[in-house]
Structures are given as C-alpha cells and as structure tokens.
Amino acid sequence: MGIGFSIFLLAVGAILAFAVHATVAGLDIRVVGFILMAAGAVGLILTLAVFAPRRRRTVTQTSGAYGAQPIAGSSTLTTEDVAGPPIP
C-alpha cells in the first residue's frame, strides 16, 4: 500500500464516518468508515517505516586512475545520509 492509497483510505473513511447520514440495513456506515480510516493509518505507518529507509543512499565519486592513490588535481566527493546507516 502506498502513501497515496493510504491517504485515500483515510479520506474515504472520514467521509463515511462523519459526513454520511444514510442508513443501510445490516450495515453501520460509521463503523465501515472507522475501519477504513484505521486501515489507511496502518498502511501509512507501514509505508513510511518499512519502505522509506530503503531510499537512503550513500554516494562516493572519485575521479582519477582506477586503483591508484589520488593525485594532485583529482577530487573525491562523499555524501552520506546521517539519518541512517548506509545501504550496501
């Protein structure tokens, strides 16, 4: 479940729980709305907790001869994400 679909479930659940005043025999629309909101919240939390750390990267760029020591005039650029460990 992605972020967009989780927000969609939250919105539809809120509409059903708070804005719809219809009655259906054998079905409580408010309960369905609360269930959809809970599913959207759980999906949003899981999406952010599980899939967001995979997007962090460490990039190292070195110019110069391969396998040689850096020489004068070559450059090394290293960027790291301080929010988490690098991904191998």
Side-chain angles (χ1 to χ4, degrees):
M1 197 181 314
I3 293 174
F5 188 66
S6 298
I7 292 173
F8 174 75
L9 283 180
L10 283 168
V12 170
I15 290 169
L16 289 177
F18 303 119
V20 175
H21 298 290
T23 57
V24 178
L27 182 68
D28 190 356
I29 293 178
R30 291 189 68 203
V31 172
V32 172
F34 287 123
I35 291 171
L36 288 176
M37 287 190 331
V42 168
L44 186 63
I45 291 169
L46 286 177
T47 300
L48 294 176
V50 173
F51 296 116
R54 293 185 185 180
R55 295 182 183 145
R56 295 184 190 134
R57 297 189 180 169
T58 300
V59 177
T60 302
Q61 178 183 359
T62 303
S63 62
Y66 178 75
Q69 294 289 335
I71 57 173
S74 66
S75 62
T76 301
L77 171 68
T78 303
T79 58
E80 293 186 25
D81 184 6
V82 295
I87 298 173

